[in-house]
Amino acid sequence: MMRVDLNADMGESFGPWPMGADSALLDIITSANIACGLHAGDPDVMAGAMALAVKNGVGIGAHPGFSDLQGFGRRRMEISQDAARNLTIYQLGAAQAMARAAGGHVRHLKLHGALANMAAEDEALARACYQGALMVDPDIIIVVLVGTAQERAARELDARIAREIFADRAYTEDGLLMDRRLPGALLHDADEMAARILAMLQAEAIITAQGIHLPARIDTICLHGDGPSAVIAARKLRDSLQEAGVTLAQFEGAR
C-alpha cells in the first residue's frame, strides 16, 4: 500500500491583507509549511496558523524565504553562503518559538520561492541553508525537491529527508520546476492534477511536461494554497488518492 504526505504553504497573509485558505486546507493536508515573516506572514498570522495546525494534528514546518514582502519571495537575489545560513537560522528560530507557544513544534523545514529554486540548482547554496537548519535542530526533516541539488546537499549532510513533488506545477526534462511565466507551467484543473499525481505515484517517477519519466522516491506532495481553486484541488486530490488505496500520513523523514 502506498503512503504519502500532503503539504501546503500557508501563513502568508499580512496584517489586514488575507492570502490563501489556511483554515480549509488544514482540514485536508497532513503537513503545513508556515511562512516565517520575511517573504510573507507576520507574528499574528504565524500564531494563528500554528494554533490551527496544532488543533488539527497537522505537522508544522518552517518555510523560510528571501526578505522580500513586495515580491513575495519569488525574486532572485544575490546572497552569500553565510547570509543564506543565517537567513535560515533566523526564520527557523522564529517558527520554533511560535510553534512552541501554540503547543506544537516544528518538525520540518522547506525553502520557499526563489530561494528554493536557486537551491535546487546550486548545491553549495542548498548546503548552507540546510547547515543552518541542522545547527538549530539536528533532527529536523528537510523537505527537498526530489532529484535536485537540494536533495544532494541534504544527503551529503546526512539529514533526515522528505522528497517532494508538486501537484500544480509542470516539470522540465531535468526535473526542475518549469518557470511560472511559461505556458503550461501552472496547472489549475483539479481532475488533471489528481490523475497526474496518481500516475507519478504508480510509476514512482516524476513525469515531465514532455512525458519523460524520471525515477524518484515520493514522500510528500505540495499543494499551493494561494490559488482560486486551491481548496477544491486539494480535496479532489485527497479523495482521489484515498479512493486509489493511498494512505495519507505525515512523512517520517529518512537518511
Side-chain angles (χ1 to χ4, degrees), residues 11-253:
E12 295 172 334
S13 300
F14 186 79
W17 293 280
M19 177 176 281
D22 292 3
S23 181
L25 283 170
L26 282 164
D27 283 331
I28 300 168
I29 61 174
T30 47
S31 293
N33 319 305
I34 298 175
C36 302
L38 294 190
H39 78 271
D42 61 37
D44 294 329
V45 170
M46 288 178 74
M50 298 283 190
L52 275 174
V54 171
K55 179 181 177 182
N56 288 31
V58 172
I60 295 174
H63 197 35
F66 282 131
S67 183
D68 180 25
L69 282 175
Q70 187 177 17
F72 195 62
R74 288 180 176 159
R75 299 186 289 196
R76 293 190 174 223
M77 296 182 171
E78 290 188 12
I79 188 169
S80 69
Q81 292 178 33
D82 284 343
R85 188 179 298 109
N86 290 332
L87 187 71
T88 305
I89 291 170
Y90 179 84
Q91 293 179 79
L92 175 54
Q96 286 182 321
M98 299 302 290
R100 198 169 297 127
H105 72 283
V106 173
R107 67 189 305 270
H108 73 272
L109 177 136
K110 173 185 161 182
L111 300 179
H112 167 82
L115 181 59
N117 290 335
M118 290 166 63
E121 303 162 7
D122 183 343
E123 192 171 333
L125 175 62
R127 188 185 307 111
C129 292
Y130 299 153
Q131 282 173 337
L134 294 169
M135 288 167 68
V136 176
D137 179 1
D139 291 322
I140 197 165
I141 301 168
I142 306 294
V143 176
V144 299
L145 279 172
V146 65
T148 68
Q150 289 185 12
E151 181 175 359
R152 293 191 295 273
R155 290 177 64 184
E156 182 183 308
L157 293 168
D158 195 32
R160 296 172 68 194
I161 302 172
R163 296 161 179 87
E164 176 186 56
I165 61 171
F166 280 70
D168 51 5
R169 296 288 301 277
Y171 282 86
T172 65
E173 291 183 25
D174 54 5
L176 297 174
L177 295 177
M178 188 181 291
D179 191 310
R180 283 174 169 270
R181 297 167 291 186
L182 296 176
L186 301 176
L187 307 178
H188 302 288
D189 183 85
D191 291 320
E192 179 186 1
M193 280 190 264
R196 177 172 166 270
I197 289 299
L198 274 173
M200 289 191 192
L201 289 174
Q202 289 163 354
E204 296 184 337
I206 290 172
I207 302 176
T208 72
Q210 296 78 21
I212 297 170
H213 285 54
L214 303 174
R217 170 175 168 171
I218 300 168
D219 299 311
T220 184
I221 300 162
C222 179
L223 296 157
H224 282 107
D226 55 347
S229 60
V231 175
I232 293 172
R235 286 202 181 107
K236 176 66 179 179
L237 179 58
R238 179 198 62 188
D239 293 346
S240 296
L241 292 174
Q242 289 178 326
E243 287 168 9
V246 178
T247 298
L248 301 181
Q250 292 174 25
F251 46 71
E252 296 297 331

